[in-house]
Amino acid sequence: MQIAYKAGDITEAHIVAGLLNSHNIETYVGGHYLQGAMGEIGTTGFSNVHVEDEDLYQARQVIAEYEASDHAGLVEDREDDKPDWYARWFLLILAVLALVWLNF
């Protein structure tokens, strides 16, 4: 077995493993017991997704598509949230000014 993906945490490893399984690539997620070595602190870098040697190339292609689509979604989310951010600050400032005005 080869490491196809080094995940940040065990949850991400299982997400990628599920994606690979949906493409008929058998996976093994390693690092379950290493996660608890640090107690309640979220440790990173211990979880890996393993695949069979003959599935490694296909698995890395699927993972590359996953990472490319994930990055594009994050950029869109930031752009969509920007008007809301300004609106929230504007409403907060209006509320503070209204409270100051009502107290005089």
Side-chain angles (χ1 to χ4, degrees):
M1 293 197 105
Q2 297 282 332
I3 295 175
Y5 187 73
K6 292 185 179 192
D9 58 22
I10 200 73
T11 305
E12 182 185 15
H14 278 286
I15 290 170
V16 172
L19 175 67
L20 293 175
N21 288 334
S22 72
H23 284 84
N24 297 322
I25 300 172
E26 290 188 38
T27 61
Y28 169 77
V29 177
H32 287 97
Y33 299 112
L34 295 174
Q35 291 288 121
M38 299 296 290
E40 295 297 317
I41 300 172
T43 56
T44 60
F46 293 116
S47 303
N48 298 318
V49 179
H50 301 265
V51 298
E52 294 293 332
D53 295 340
E54 60 270 6
D55 293 331
L56 183 62
Y57 180 73
Q58 182 185 2
R60 291 211 172 141
Q61 284 182 326
V62 171
I63 291 168
E65 291 173 10
Y66 162 74
E67 288 177 335
S69 67
D70 189 35
H71 183 348
L74 291 175
V75 171
E76 290 174 10
D77 289 345
R78 280 191 219 131
E79 291 174 1
D80 291 342
D81 191 42
K82 196 170 189 176
D84 291 337
W85 183 82
Y86 287 119
R88 289 180 194 137
W89 278 106
F90 179 74
L91 291 174
L92 178 65
I93 290 170
L94 280 178
V96 169
L97 289 174
L99 287 174
V100 168
W101 183 70
L102 289 174
N103 285 332
F104 283 114

